[in-house]
């Protein structure tokens, strides 16, 4: 009985993982395919990777994506950290719970809605103040900042809540003014959380298609937008190579972010243990 | 268990000198946390150079009172004066006070040295001077060899020293310590206790120590205040509080005490007699101006104030009763007897062992007399 169940479970598990990962692995394998026809194996080669380098459109789209991801992740980290600080350290102010709830709302908001509402915002801004003029890289960046900021805020907020507040009080007691204390004590301690927030924001921006499609203009195509437009004309082998590169970058980012969060969790447990020991 | 606190100086202590100016004045301070009153109308004067303990059970508002002194909580009512200056609305970073936190709050991302230097850097002191002062302070707390270590490489006792050094290096006029020894194991605690006293003695800074350990408070303090549910119950030297507790709570808090309830049967200017039904004895005690016949009160007597003997003792001012030895224990210099009276009440008596021999003077079930002096009957009116 027990044995049967475990074989059943293992089968289901394998099936699930296969479902998740076989397509990705296939893409990665076929990116080294020498053949021009995607579904026929013609030997191992790097030709599609080299072909990518010759394709100016791809290079431009990739560089645009990286630039947008880098800038939007950086700004989102700054704003998200400020939001997290305000929500945890400003004490109880009216509507704090409402604000805390509102910061996580973008996480569950359908991307189509976020994209659409941003587009409407840009269009009406254009009517009223004549900005942003041409939609393109800037508007995509703003769009990415709005939703990835929420992720950063949530990560930073949870770290701040687990941080021993007497560290900040001790610094203030020793003569540090509140702003200095934030710089000297709080930021170094939450830095790993900020870094994992940045990485998350970076990867989210890098693979976003929906919001970018809504708020972009004719001039600017990010990498996912370019791939999507190409794929409608049929899959070419160079797309496999590109996908493999993106998967690698994103995996590295996610693995580092997870590792940082795990370490933070360990730190939190240590803090809790220490606090427990000290309160006996 | 309780050491006599020896008076080293013949000078009057500051709190008995009407001309002395208190260094910290807490005036009618209350703290209300959304309807929960954590500190209730506390008034207290603390003098320069004191080692003052705030003692009370967990949750009675000690930390809150300390945080009000440090400036982390604003009192709902009342004010705080330090050296005559009103500090109620001064932020913590501008008060001439430093605090050692219960969790020690050593900055995890800085080395020991950097932790200690932090407060001096905020004062804008020259680098070389910071270095010498940090080195001196690490020397004082014996942490010089760990200067380059990070906090996670230190033990609890070492973290405590870092926290202490970090607060003291600022040369504060007052150091607040929140349960400084609670995180240490028993052996280390005793050692650290004396070190704290030594350091306080060396640099002469006023210490205000919060603790829930009455033995610790007894040994450390020049004066103790006992708190209960946010209110001050009694303030005095360890000896005063131990020998003359003002109510049952304080009496119980400091070690064992025998309590007898009774009614006043006779009063004159100085003395009174209290009829205690529980032990069917008339207990003699000193009276106050307000004592009246038939007042209900409780007589408290410490175990070591009671003499135990085989023959009936004689004396004008003695309260005497009879019983049998119910239990006895021998603890080195001390013997503890539990004596059962005819009414069934068990009274605890402790006696110094003067005769160094194995032969016991008293045995189980032996009939004995208990007696104590009129001075030893502590009257609790609540
Ligand atoms: N910031 C706060 N908000 C609400 N209640 C508090 C706060 N700080 C302390 N209290 C309450 O005040 C009481 C006294 O706390 P505390 O001063 O820490 O006690 P102690 O240090 O004597 O153990 C506790 O019941 C605690 O729950
Ligand atoms: Mg406390």
């Amino acid at each position: 009985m027990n044995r049967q169940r475990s074989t059943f479970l293992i089968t289901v598990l394998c099936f699930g993982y296969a479902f998740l990962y076989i397509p990705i692995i296939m893409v990665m394998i076929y990116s080294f395919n020498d053949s021009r026809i995607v579904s026929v194996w013609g030997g191992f080669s790097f030709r599609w990777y080299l072909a990518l380098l010759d394709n100016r459109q791809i290079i431009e789209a990739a560089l645009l994506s990286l630039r947008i991801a880098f800038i939007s992740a950086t700004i989102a980290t700054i704003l998200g950290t400020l939001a997290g600080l305000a929500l945890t350290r400003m004490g109880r102010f009216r509507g704090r719970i409402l604000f805390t709830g509102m910061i996580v709302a973008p996480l569950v908001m359908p991307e189509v809605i976020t994209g659409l509402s941003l587009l409407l915002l840009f269009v009406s801004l254009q009517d009223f103040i004549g900005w942003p003029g041409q939609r393109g890289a800037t508007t995509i960046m703003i769009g990415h900042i709005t939703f990835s900021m929420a992720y950063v805020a949530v990560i930073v907020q949870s770290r701040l809540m687990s941080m021993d507040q007497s560290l900040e009080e001790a610094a203030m007691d020793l003569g540090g003014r509140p702003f200095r204390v934030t710089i000297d004590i709080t930021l170094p301690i939450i830095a790993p959380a900020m870094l994992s927030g940045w990485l998350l924001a970076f990867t989210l921006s890098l693979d976003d298609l929906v919001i970018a499609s809504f708020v972009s203009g004719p001039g600017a195509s990010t990498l996912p937008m370019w791939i999507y437009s190409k794929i409608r004309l049929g899959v070419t082998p160079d797309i496999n190579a590109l996908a493999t590169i993106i998967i690698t970058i994103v995996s590295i980012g996610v693995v580092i972010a997870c590792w940082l969060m795990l370490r933070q969790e360990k730190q939190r447990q240590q803090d809790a243990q220490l606090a427990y020991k000290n309160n006996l | 268990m309780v050491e006599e606190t020896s008076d080293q100086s013949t000078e009057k202590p500051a709190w008995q000198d009407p001309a002395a100016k208190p260094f910290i004045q807490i005036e009618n301070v209350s703290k209300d946390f959304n309807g929960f009153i954590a500190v209730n109308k506390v008034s207290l004067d603390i003098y320069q150079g004191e080692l003052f303990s705030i003692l009370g059970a967990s949750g009675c508002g000690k930390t809150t009172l300390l945080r009000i002194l440090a400036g982390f909580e604003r009192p709902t009512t009342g004010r705080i004066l330090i050296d005559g200056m009103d500090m109620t609305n001064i932020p913590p970073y501008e008060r001439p006070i430093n605090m050692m936190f219960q969790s020690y709050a050593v900055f995890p991302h800085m080395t020991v040295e950097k932790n200690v230097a932090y407060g001096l850097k905020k004062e804008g002191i020259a680098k070389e001077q910071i270095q010498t002062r940090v080195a001196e302070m690490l020397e004082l707390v014996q942490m010089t060899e760990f200067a380059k270590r990070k906090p996670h490489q230190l033990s609890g006792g070492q973290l405590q020293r870092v926290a202490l050094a970090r607060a003291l290096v600022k040369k504060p006029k007052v150091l607040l310590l929140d349960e400084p020894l609670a995180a240490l194991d028993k052996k280390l605690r005793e050692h650290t206790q004396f070190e704290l006293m030594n350091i306080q003695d060396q640099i002469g800074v006023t210490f205000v120590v919060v603790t829930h350990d009455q033995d610790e408070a007894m040994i450390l303090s020049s004066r103790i205040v006992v708190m209960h549910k946010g209110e001050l119950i009694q303030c005095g030297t360890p000896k005063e509080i131990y020998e003359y507790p003002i109510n049952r709570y304080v009496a119980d808090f400091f070690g064992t005490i025998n309590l007898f309830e009774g009614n006043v049967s006779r009063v004159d200017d100085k003395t009174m007699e209290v009829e205690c039904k529980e032990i069917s004895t008339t207990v003699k005690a000193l009276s106050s101006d307000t004592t009246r016949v038939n007042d209900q009160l409780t007589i408290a007597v410490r175990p070591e104030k009671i003499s135990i003997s085989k023959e009936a003792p004689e004396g004008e001012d003695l309260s005497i009763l009879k019983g049998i030895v119910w239990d006895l224990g021998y603890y080195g210099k001390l013997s503890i007897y539990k004596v059962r009276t005819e009414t069934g009440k068990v009274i605890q008596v402790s006696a110094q062992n003067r005769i160094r021999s194995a032969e016991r003077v008293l045995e189980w079930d032996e009939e004995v007399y208990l007696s104590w002096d009129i001075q030893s009957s502590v009257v609790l009116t609540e």
Side-chain angles (χ1 to χ4, degrees):
Chain A
M1 170 78 195
N2 210 347
R3 233 191 126 90
Q4 262 178 6
R5 184 186 288 167
S6 75
T7 35
F8 171 73
L9 279 179
I10 288 170
T11 316
V12 169
L13 206 66
C14 289
F15 199 76
Y17 274 101
F19 197 73
L20 278 174
Y21 285 99
I22 282 181
I24 294 175
I25 292 168
M26 290 303 285
V27 164
M28 292 175 108
I29 291 172
Y30 276 101
S31 72
F32 298 105
N33 188 359
D34 198 28
S35 162
R36 180 164 283 281
I37 304 151
V38 174
S39 52
V40 179
W41 183 253
F44 185 87
S45 101
F46 281 111
R47 67 182 277 205
W48 302 115
Y49 287 90
L50 294 172
L52 283 180
L53 290 177
D54 287 337
N55 190 332
R56 278 195 59 92
Q57 278 183 317
I58 288 188
I59 300 289
E60 261 168 32
L63 286 179
L64 181 71
S65 268
L66 286 173
R67 207 178 82 215
I68 290 174
F70 188 85
I71 295 174
S72 69
T74 306
I75 296 177
T77 303
I78 294 168
L79 294 179
T81 303
L82 288 176
L85 278 171
L87 288 173
T88 44
R89 290 294 187 264
M90 252 164 56
R92 291 159 188 278
F93 56 88
R94 279 169 74 93
R96 195 177 83 143
I97 292 181
L98 182 70
F99 276 102
T100 310
M102 272 164 63
I103 201 97
V104 291
L107 305 187
V108 290
M109 188 83 76
E111 284 181 317
V112 178
I113 306 291
T114 312
L116 186 66
S117 56
L118 280 167
L119 175 62
L120 293 175
L121 174 76
F122 290 136
V123 169
S124 50
L125 273 179
Q126 178 65 40
D127 286 349
F128 283 116
I129 60 170
W131 184 86
Q134 184 95 337
R135 285 195 301 280
T138 314
T139 48
I140 298 174
M141 253 179 241
I142 293 172
H144 286 180
I145 290 166
T146 51
F147 82 89
S148 52
M149 186 187 116
Y151 286 87
V152 178
V154 167
I155 293 174
V156 166
Q157 202 185 358
S158 85
R159 176 66 187 117
L160 279 172
M161 282 200 290
S162 68
M163 178 182 158
D164 181 4
Q165 207 159 338
S166 57
L167 291 172
E168 287 160 347
E169 287 175 343
M172 237 190 272
D173 188 62
L174 294 168
R177 275 151 204 286
F179 180 72
R180 282 305 312 180
V181 170
T182 306
I183 305 275
D184 293 341
I185 309 297
T186 318
L187 288 185
I189 290 174
I190 64 168
M194 286 168 66
L195 183 57
S196 67
W198 187 90
L199 283 168
L200 197 61
F202 186 81
T203 47
L204 283 172
S205 167
L206 208 58
D207 77 6
D208 167 68
L209 171 66
V210 179
I211 293 175
S213 308
F214 270 101
V215 299
S216 180
S221 293
T222 62
L223 199 56
M225 286 165 76
W226 186 85
I227 294 173
Y228 188 68
S229 66
K230 264 284 175 270
I231 224 95
R232 280 187 295 192
L233 310 172
V235 182
T236 51
D238 54 348
I239 301 267
N240 283 339
L242 187 60
T244 306
I245 293 173
I246 294 176
I247 289 166
T248 312
I249 293 175
V250 169
S251 320
I252 290 172
V254 169
V255 165
I256 294 177
C258 280
W259 178 71
L260 284 171
M261 279 197 272
L262 266 181
R263 228 180 53 161
Q264 173 186 328
E265 177 62 19
K266 246 198 218 146
Q267 182 67 45
R268 198 190 61 74
Q269 275 170 3
Q270 270 174 13
D271 289 355
Q273 245 169 25
L274 197 69
Y276 172 73
K277 245 181 16 203
N278 289 340
N279 281 325
L280 272 185
Chain B
M1 271 171 282
V2 178
E3 317 256 332
E4 284 290 278
T5 45
S6 59
D7 294 314
Q8 298 108 325
S9 58
T10 45
E11 269 177 68
K12 256 191 186 176
W15 54 90
Q16 281 177 2
D17 180 1
K21 230 179 74 202
F23 193 67
I24 303 173
Q25 289 162 279
I26 301 173
E27 290 183 355
N28 200 28
V29 162
S30 297
K31 180 69 195 182
D32 185 335
F33 288 117
N34 302 318
F36 178 82
I37 297 173
V39 174
N40 195 1
K41 299 197 188 105
V42 166
S43 293
L44 202 58
D45 287 343
I46 299 172
Y47 294 86
Q48 185 112 48
E50 273 202 86
L51 206 165
F52 192 92
S53 288
I54 300 172
L55 180 64
S58 212
C60 71
K62 309 178 297 286
T63 299
T64 308
L65 185 60
L66 214 59
R67 289 170 59 82
I68 291 173
L69 274 177
F72 298 119
E73 306 280 0
R74 191 157 294 184
T76 317
T77 62
R79 36 177 223 159
I80 302 283
L81 285 91
I82 297 171
D83 211 0
M85 291 214 292
D86 191 339
M87 288 281 159
T88 319
N89 294 315
I90 305 283
Y93 43 88
E94 282 168 4
R95 295 193 186 196
I97 269 191
N98 284 109
M99 177 154 166
M100 201 176 103
F101 287 77
Q102 195 166 357
S103 62
Y104 301 146
V106 175
F107 307 136
H109 58 295
M110 296 183 190
T111 59
V112 167
E113 210 171 35
K114 292 241 170 69
N115 261 282
V116 178
Y118 184 81
L120 296 178
K121 275 192 196 145
K122 296 301 116 181
E123 279 178 34
I125 291 174
K127 230 184 188 153
E128 305 84 62
Q129 217 184 331
I130 292 182
Q131 268 175 356
T132 41
R133 272 172 74 178
V134 168
E136 269 171 31
M137 199 41 76
L138 288 178
E139 187 73 45
L140 182 71
V141 299
Q142 298 160 28
M143 286 291 291
T144 309
E145 56 183 312
F146 302 105
K148 302 275 186 237
R149 292 238 190 135
K150 283 281 192 74
H152 65 89
Q153 298 166 304
L154 301 177
S155 70
Q158 291 168 331
L159 286 175
Q160 194 249 15
R161 286 150 191 268
V162 177
L164 184 66
R166 190 178 66 179
L168 284 177
V169 79
K170 299 260 297 177
K171 300 191 177 151
K173 294 181 175 162
V174 181
L175 183 66
L176 310 174
L177 301 99
D178 192 358
E179 310 252 3
L181 307 176
L184 309 179
D185 58 54
K186 198 169 169 6
K187 216 173 143 204
L188 195 55
R189 205 177 320 174
E190 272 168 28
H191 178 72
T192 315
Q193 215 164 42
F194 289 106
E195 252 180 21
L196 269 183
M197 290 171 79
N198 265 337
I199 288 174
Q200 198 252 351
D201 216 38
Q202 274 180 50
I203 53 180
V205 59
T206 309
F207 272 24
V208 179
V209 182
V210 155
T211 175
H212 65 260
D213 181 333
Q214 68 280 6
D215 289 339
E216 191 179 301
M218 281 284 183
I219 295 168
L220 281 175
S221 326
S222 62
R223 281 195 303 156
I224 299 175
V225 66
V226 181
M227 275 183 89
H228 182 50
K229 292 189 176 158
E231 290 181 43
L232 293 195
I233 307 281
Q234 189 175 4
C235 177
T237 62
K239 200 173 165 192
E240 277 166 10
I241 290 194
Y242 183 77
E243 297 201 348
Y244 306 105
I246 64 157
N247 64 18
R248 283 182 95 126
Y249 181 78
V250 179
D252 260 344
F253 206 80
F254 288 91
T256 321
I257 197 156
N258 298 295
L259 298 167
F260 313 118
E261 284 171 13
N263 284 29
V264 179
S265 58
R266 191 189 61 77
V267 195
D268 60 37
D269 327 344
K270 283 199 185 117
T271 65
M272 63 175 162
E273 282 174 1
V274 180
E275 201 59 51
C276 298
K277 286 223 178 62
E278 285 180 280
I279 48 173
S280 57
T281 307
T282 306
V283 177
K284 298 190 175 90
L286 297 175
S287 65
S288 73
D289 300 342
T290 53
T291 321
R292 299 282 174 270
V293 171
N294 263 335
D295 277 358
Q296 272 227 331
L297 37 76
T298 305
I299 300 290
V301 188
R302 291 279 175 205
E304 69 274 15
K305 300 285 181 187
I306 303 178
S307 320
I308 187 164
S309 57
K310 282 197 253 192
E311 293 85 35
E314 278 173 37
E316 264 288 288
D317 287 340
L318 292 184
S319 308
I320 303 169
L321 59 93
K322 240 168 82 176
I324 56 165
V325 177
W326 174 256
D327 194 7
L328 57 85
Y330 181 72
Y331 303 93
K333 283 197 286 185
L334 212 67
S335 286
I336 308 246
Y337 301 95
K338 287 191 177 151
V339 175
R340 206 183 135 133
T341 65
E342 282 154 8
T343 51
K345 171 117 177 157
V346 176
I347 299 172
Q348 187 158 330
V349 180
S350 63
Q352 302 273 335
N353 294 327
R354 292 216 175 70
I355 317 156
R356 258 185 57 233
S357 71
E359 54 174 299
R360 283 216 180 82
V361 191
L362 297 168
E363 286 299 338
W364 273 274
D365 292 333
E366 202 161 352
E367 225 174 54
V368 289
Y369 291 90
L370 301 182
S371 63
W372 64 90
D373 194 71
I374 190 164
Q375 309 265 359
S376 304
S377 299
V378 177
V379 180
L380 310 176
T381 44
E382 275 176 47

